[in-house]
Amino acid sequence: MSCLIGLKDVTKSYEEIVALNRVSLKVMKGEILAIIGPNGSGKTTMLKIMAGIEEPTSGEIYFDGMRIHDGNMDKVRSRGTMIFQRTVLFNTNVYKNLAYGLKLRGYSKKEIKEKVKEALRTVKLEGYENRLAKRLSGGEQQRLSLARALILETKVVLLDEPTANLDPYNVSMMEEIISKINRDFNTTIIMATHNMFQAKRLGKKVAFLLDGEVVEIGEADKIFENPQDKRTEYFIKGEMIY
């Protein structure tokens, strides 16, 4: 596998607060990276930088072999989608939420109809075309957000606590859909999660973030079964980090 997103010595500061401190890592094409860490560790900031929503204070970002700067940031934004804990949807029906991006790209009505139908089938929302998006349940809204990313054929989907506050049924369904999108479409998935079991179930690779620094990164099984840093071990066990 080749590298899709690379961070090299990336730092992000908000005045006197350092959210990320010289972070370096690589995300390979087609993998699922789970980012774990306590609140305030910098997980969401890292996702925003990878998505092109925020710029780093210093350091280098690479996307599909291209170094990212002010002049080509839009290329990253068009090829990746970030889905937040609180979904952002248009105040209209499900069909129009999905069709909007396709219309901007010049797809015909027939093509749009076919792609919307296929995306809804993938996220198990068949028959929801005429429902108001903002009246869907939390789990359904998250699945609709995944459908929007899928329909635009984005190379990477970045998920910020994708199953927070969802009931067990919707958690299971979301995890199943995330795995399917990764498996069937080779979409790269980067997700921040507090759920250790979820990170272990979904993540092919896991990064442990603490105080804006990557403490440890590696294959999920190795990280959870034999962490090399005591701070990682404490966090996985739910113990105080010293």
Side-chain angles (χ1 to χ4, degrees):
M1 289 189 295
S2 57
C3 179
L4 180 64
I5 297 178
L7 304 183
K8 183 178 180 182
D9 293 330
V10 168
T11 294
K12 179 64 177 180
S13 301
Y14 300 97
E15 296 181 354
E16 296 181 357
I17 298 173
V18 180
L20 293 178
N21 185 21
R22 296 180 64 83
V23 167
S24 295
L25 59 78
K26 291 181 179 180
V27 183
M28 311 308 288
K29 291 181 180 178
E31 76 177 0
I32 300 179
L33 170 65
I35 305 171
I36 60 175
N39 287 333
S41 60
K43 300 189 299 298
T44 300
T45 300
M46 182 185 290
L47 290 180
K48 287 181 178 179
I49 287 174
M50 288 178 170
I53 295 172
E54 292 196 8
E55 297 181 19
T57 305
S58 62
E60 300 174 4
I61 309 169
Y62 294 87
F63 189 92
D64 207 7
M66 172 179 62
R67 183 173 177 182
I68 302 304
H69 49 76
D70 290 345
N72 60 12
M73 187 69 75
D74 286 344
K75 292 184 179 181
V76 176
R77 294 169 182 154
S78 67
R79 294 160 78 183
T81 299
M82 183 167 175
I83 299 174
F84 294 89
Q85 239 178 290
R86 291 180 176 272
T87 54
V88 181
L89 301 170
F90 297 124
N91 190 25
T92 185
N93 65 27
V94 167
Y95 187 92
K96 290 180 179 178
N97 266 272
L98 292 175
Y100 179 74
L102 297 176
K103 287 181 179 179
L104 293 180
R105 287 163 173 76
Y107 284 85
S108 69
K109 288 184 178 181
K110 181 180 179 181
E111 289 172 325
I112 291 172
K113 186 176 181 179
E114 291 174 351
K115 290 179 75 66
V116 167
K117 185 176 181 180
E118 179 60 30
L120 290 176
R121 183 184 299 117
T122 300
V123 300
K124 300 184 179 181
L125 289 175
E126 301 100 319
Y128 279 59
E129 286 89 343
N130 294 320
R131 298 197 187 187
L132 290 177
K134 292 193 174 182
R135 291 190 180 178
L136 300 178
S137 70
E140 290 167 346
Q141 289 189 14
Q142 286 286 48
R143 282 149 56 196
L144 177 56
S145 293
L146 280 174
R148 288 203 307 189
L150 181 63
I151 207 168
L152 295 176
E153 300 178 2
T154 54
K155 287 193 172 187
V156 57
V157 177
L158 303 104
L159 304 165
D160 189 16
E161 301 290 349
T163 59
N165 304 316
L166 298 185
D167 60 80
Y169 172 78
N170 276 293
V171 169
S172 177
M173 184 170 287
M174 277 290 293
E175 290 182 358
E176 181 183 336
I177 292 168
I178 290 168
S179 294
K180 179 178 176 60
I181 290 172
N182 172 254
R183 181 181 64 251
D184 293 355
F185 302 99
N186 200 39
T187 304
T188 304
I189 307 289
I190 306 171
M191 56 183 291
T193 179
H194 286 93
N195 189 325
M196 297 298 101
F197 298 106
Q198 183 174 81
K200 190 173 184 179
R201 283 193 299 267
L202 293 180
K204 296 176 184 176
K205 190 163 69 177
V206 171
F208 174 48
L209 201 62
L210 181 65
D211 295 331
E213 298 181 1
V214 175
V215 173
E216 192 166 353
I217 186 170
E219 294 179 15
D221 289 343
K222 292 181 180 179
I223 293 289
F224 283 104
E225 293 173 10
N226 187 30
Q228 299 301 297
D229 192 290
K230 281 293 182 183
R231 292 168 294 176
T232 310
E233 182 180 349
Y234 291 145
F235 181 75
I236 290 171
K237 291 181 177 179
E239 299 176 359
M240 184 70 71
I241 300 174
Y242 297 97

